[in-house]
Amino acid sequence: MNDLLWIFVSAMVINNFTLYYFLGLCPFFGVSGQLKTAFRLGLATIFVMLITSLCASFLNAFVLPHAPYLKLIAFIVVIASTVQFVEMLIRKLSPTLFRALGIFLPLITTNCAILFLALTQTSRDYSLVQGVSFALGAGSGFTLALVLMAGLRQEASLASVPEIVKGTALNMIIAGLLSLAFMGFAGLFSAV
Amino acid sequence: MTDVELTVSVPGREPGSIRLVATLVVTAMLSGIVLAGAFQVTKPVIEANRMRELRAGVFTVVPGATRVRTFTWRDGRLVDAEDDDGASGPVLYAGYDDDSSFRGWAMVGEGAGFQDTIRVLHGFDPTQWRVTGMHILLSRETPGLGDKIFKDADWVASFDALAVEPPITVVRDGRDEAHEVDAITGATISSQAVVKIINEANAAWLPRLPPPGAEPALERDASGDTP
Amino acid sequence: MTDHAVDSSRLYDEFVKGIWKENPVFVQVLGMCPMLAVTNSAVNALAMGLATAFVLIGSSVLVSLFRRLIPRQVRISTYIIIIATFVTVADFTLEAVVPTVHRELGAFISLIVVNCLILGRQEAFASRNPIHVALADAVGMAIGFAFALFCLGATREILGSGSLFGVSLFGENFEPWVIMVLPPGGFLMLGFILLFFNWVQQRRTLRPSRVSPATREAA
């Protein structure tokens, strides 16, 4: 139990995928302009991560021991088809949710955080349950970072900033400060 | 995506679905062949690298050891790792010197550190009932602070003859008991984590060790297994 | 003869643009994810740059070679299979040749496969240009990317550990600026570098308006 909690907390805040491992930066900078869309993209990512983690556990158990060199290709195929499948499923089950998420779903395929999740889960030999805990932690950590970033950027857009700092440079520096703040979580869970 | 018209500019030449499938199948097959080839070529080198690294680790924590044998724990006894198919559980290493006589055990422990999981290998001498050395296998601790758990040679050396009963403790005001380790300034949590990991590995493995003198030999005897 | 001259000057243009004018990192801000994570030392940055270069050049050549055979509908899937194959080969090779660097880079080598720079070059360039032009473009882009990685990695290592390629530069009394080799340092350093590029860009656009009145006066 302790182990599951450590995996979750570690993936969520201590080793936050975006702010510590620099994963998913494209959506992190691309979609963090607005709070609402950022939150929805985060939720969709959690969902895809969860399914990817289950698929990766399955692949690790049955396919990859026989052909370890197919790991990367297998994961990419799984992620791409998962996203496609989730998209179809949501469209069928809840058109409202689909309209809310619609455009962001395909974007998730190219999110390196998902591939990193599957690869890390494999290299650390996580079990099915540990993998789920890892995926939930990583997904909520991504959402947290995205939402915080969106909030900060909305505030920053109201401030008066020199022309040359505007845009990517400013976003990078904001992200750096956010990452600095997240370093405070290190040690949160250690042996005492 | 800017000049799509360039690619669709050949009307009436839409390839059939057989061609699409065939392209993918051929690409996938070629890629499979290349990958399998690359895997076959690099596999022995990679395994040799891993083995060398592991040996080097075991030799640092078990003084005098120059050869190593790997065991796992199954059904209440030690089993040679080669006999245990699909073994991915915790392993125990036995170090031997040039004369094939037993020098000590080495075990791997893992746990939460300051930043991320730390993996520690430590040696154990069953006759003296002491830890004989410590080697960090994996750590992402803060550079300049937490990474002293493997960069600070004095601190690493404090594990060279450490009593394990009572369990190892971290002290801040100078060690004076045989089971105590100093905390690293600025990295108290990392040092506590290392000690905790070693204590946990000891708790798991020490009751399983055969009595001193009854260790398995370096060369496997006919029965293959150990008491 | 003129044909040849035009051709070689085009080759040169395609080669040079990736290094400075369209530098994938500093100008296009592509492929950030694997980049920031591995640039905490010059060696790691260089290894990552080389691995990416290998994948980019290899797949560009293949895609350009077979560009007429790959149907448009399945092009992305085909490109990804090709890229993933090169990435896996690079991964195995690094693990066999330089195991310590491979362990530091970890999963980030595999993540080259989702580097938008590589797929972007296949889609936008290699799939619609003959092989020698595609090669020039790929080599240019690869050098540009590796150069950017190296700049970032070297700066962060010098500031954050006081060393370059593991060789200590400032002696005992240097107190390293540790934050620079930690993740926040990656964001901040890239932010500052982009700031510098913006500044250069701004000066360049402002210059003509500053120069023209002066020349008028002179006239």
Side-chain angles (χ1 to χ4, degrees), chain A residues 18-54:
Chain A
T18 311
L19 297 173
Y20 189 82
Y21 283 120
F22 304 103
L23 297 164
L25 288 186
C26 307
F28 182 66
F29 289 118
V31 193
S32 59
Q34 271 203 323
L35 206 57
K36 211 159 146 196
T37 45
F39 186 62
R40 285 180 178 156
L41 178 73
L43 289 188
T45 312
I46 297 182
F47 191 55
V48 175
M49 277 188 169
L50 205 56
I51 295 182
T52 308
S53 162
L54 295 176

Side-chain angles (χ1 to χ4, degrees), chain C:
Chain C
M1 194 58 208
T2 42
D3 250 18
H4 186 252
V6 167
D7 207 35
S8 63
S9 86
R10 170 156 187 233
L11 275 185
Y12 179 74
D13 286 347
E14 299 294 1
F15 173 70
V16 168
K17 73 169 193 289
I19 299 177
W20 188 255
K21 208 172 70 200
E22 291 179 25
N23 186 296
V25 176
F26 296 144
V27 180
Q28 306 182 53
V29 204
L30 280 178
M32 279 185 300
C33 310
M35 185 187 110
L36 288 169
V38 301
T39 48
N40 50 11
S41 79
V43 177
N44 289 354
L46 216 54
M48 187 67 178
L50 286 180
T52 312
F54 167 73
V55 175
L56 179 57
I57 295 171
S59 36
S60 282
V61 167
L62 271 190
V63 166
S64 158
L65 207 58
F66 295 110
R67 66 186 187 281
R68 291 184 206 289
L69 292 177
I70 301 172
R72 194 176 52 85
Q73 291 86 340
V74 293
R75 69 187 189 286
I76 300 288
S77 325
T78 319
Y79 300 162
I80 287 189
I81 296 177
I82 294 175
I83 296 171
T85 311
F86 276 105
V87 171
T88 314
V89 171
D91 189 29
F92 286 157
T93 316
L94 277 178
E95 188 169 7
V97 181
V98 276
T100 44
V101 174
H102 180 268
R103 202 174 19 172
E104 292 254 318
L105 298 181
F108 288 98
I109 303 186
S110 304
L111 289 184
I112 296 177
V113 86
V114 281
N115 189 335
C116 17
L117 164 71
I118 296 180
L119 191 62
R121 283 340 278 170
Q122 313 310 321
E123 169 72 18
F125 204 90
S127 58
R128 46 191 63 153
N129 282 291
I131 183 162
H132 55 288
V133 187
L135 185 66
D137 171 73
V139 173
M141 283 289 165
I143 293 178
F145 188 69
F147 169 71
L149 280 187
F150 178 74
C151 283
L152 208 56
T155 328
R156 285 179 68 189
E157 192 183 342
I158 291 174
L159 292 176
S161 332
S163 61
L164 186 61
F165 289 109
V167 180
S168 180
L169 292 181
F170 305 114
E172 279 295 302
N173 292 325
F174 178 72
E175 187 61 42
W177 195 5
V178 176
I179 203 73
M180 276 304 154
V181 287
L182 293 175
F187 283 119
L188 293 176
M189 188 48 82
L190 186 59
F192 290 139
I193 293 180
L194 289 175
L195 212 56
F196 173 74
F197 262 73
N198 285 350
W199 180 71
V200 171
Q201 209 76 29
Q202 199 191 34
R203 277 182 64 112
R204 200 171 284 166
T205 45
L206 285 184
R207 194 171 296 149
S209 55
R210 257 189 219 150
V211 167
S212 49
T215 38
R216 219 177 295 138
E217 269 171 42

Side-chain angles (χ1 to χ4, degrees), chain A residues 13-93:
Chain A
V13 289
I14 304 177
N15 296 296
N16 184 287
F17 266 37
T18 311
L19 297 173
Y20 189 82
Y21 283 120
F22 304 103
L23 297 164
L25 288 186
C26 307
F28 182 66
F29 289 118
V31 193
S32 59
Q34 271 203 323
L35 206 57
K36 211 159 146 196
T37 45
F39 186 62
R40 285 180 178 156
L41 178 73
L43 289 188
T45 312
I46 297 182
F47 191 55
V48 175
M49 277 188 169
L50 205 56
I51 295 182
T52 308
S53 162
L54 295 176
C55 294
S57 294
F58 173 80
L59 278 177
N60 286 332
F62 300 109
V63 183
L64 295 181
H66 306 292
Y69 46 86
L70 289 183
K71 185 169 74 182
L72 195 54
I73 293 190
F75 283 155
I76 291 174
V77 171
V78 163
I79 291 169
S81 21
T82 310
V83 172
Q84 200 92 49
F85 175 73
V86 168
E87 197 180 340
M88 288 194 303
L89 199 73
I90 293 182
R91 190 199 300 235
K92 204 87 175 169
L93 293 180

Side-chain angles (χ1 to χ4, degrees), chain B residues 155-215:
Chain B
W155 195 73
V156 172
S158 65
F159 286 84
D160 282 354
L162 200 59
V164 297
E165 238 158 65
I168 308 168
T169 45
V170 178
V171 292
R172 282 167 210 232
D173 39 11
R175 56 189 296 214
D176 38 33
E177 301 277 335
H179 69 279
E180 287 176 348
V181 172
D182 284 325
I184 300 175
T185 315
T188 316
I189 292 179
S190 301
S191 25
Q192 280 169 340
V194 171
V195 165
K196 187 182 176 208
I197 293 166
I198 294 182
N199 281 335
E200 279 172 0
N202 279 338
W205 280 110
L206 297 195
R208 298 172 175 176
L209 296 180
E215 284 88 9

